[in-house]
Structure formats: structure tokens, C-alpha cells
Amino acid sequence: MERYDQHGHLNVGAGADVPISELATLIRDTVYPEATLRFDQSKPDGIPRKFLEATAIRELGWAPTTSLAQGVAQTYEWFVEHLPSGYAASTRGSCWLPAST
């Protein structure tokens, strides 16, 4: 940001899109690997491109240093560490429940 003197915003991202099935699999693998994902192939599969254009920030010398997999893992670890008192990660891994459940 020390070299950015334009008006407006900069997109901060990897500049690549990730199919929802790949993201869902990554999250499943991180949170609860034993889960089975089911995709309804009869439903629309979304828009063709889902990424933010990141050329401007790349030209300023910025590049992501955390992969998507690392970010998902770190975010989930943070979430589990910051569960409210009296809650624990469920044995199913995909939700948080009162510790007495």
C-alpha cells in the first residue's frame, strides 16, 4: 500500500478461481475427512469464472504467501481454538455443539 496512490480498491487474491467441488472437498478434508460429499448434478453449477482480478496488486509486487489449503486449515484451527466456553468441536467435525451433547 505504500506504493499505491490511485483512487479505488485493489483486489487481494490469488487471481485464480476454484471450482466449488474442489473447495468443498478441501473443506471436507480439513474439517471432517470421513464425510461424504454429494453434488446434485441436476442443478446449475454456477458461473463460469469466480475469481477477482488481481493484476494491479501483483504489479505493485504483492503476491499471496498462504495457499488456499493453508488458509482453510488455519481458519478452522482458529475457529476450534476460539469456540465459546462450554462448546467443543463435534465428533462429526463439521459443526460445533454444546460440550454436553
Side-chain angles (χ1 to χ4, degrees):
M1 295 310 303
E2 293 171 356
R3 294 181 294 223
Y4 184 69
D5 60 1
Q6 305 295 316
H7 288 43
H9 67 275
L10 284 173
N11 290 327
V12 178
D17 58 346
V18 177
I20 193 68
S21 60
E22 185 178 321
L23 180 58
T25 300
L26 174 61
I27 293 169
R28 187 266 327 264
D29 291 349
T30 302
V31 175
Y32 185 50
E34 296 81 15
T36 299
L37 297 177
R38 292 181 294 175
F39 298 95
D40 185 344
Q41 301 298 324
S42 70
K43 304 292 184 204
D45 62 359
I47 59 174
R49 304 291 300 225
K50 302 174 199 79
F51 73 98
L52 295 175
E53 173 57 52
T55 301
I57 200 162
R58 291 291 181 98
E59 289 174 350
L60 292 171
W62 183 88
T65 57
T66 302
S67 71
L68 180 58
Q70 291 170 323
V72 168
Q74 290 170 356
T75 300
Y76 183 65
E77 288 170 16
W78 180 94
F79 173 77
V80 170
E81 290 173 8
H82 290 86
L83 286 172
S85 178
Y87 284 79
S90 95
T91 56
R92 292 181 298 283
S94 60
C95 61
W96 49 284
L97 301 169
S100 62
T101 302

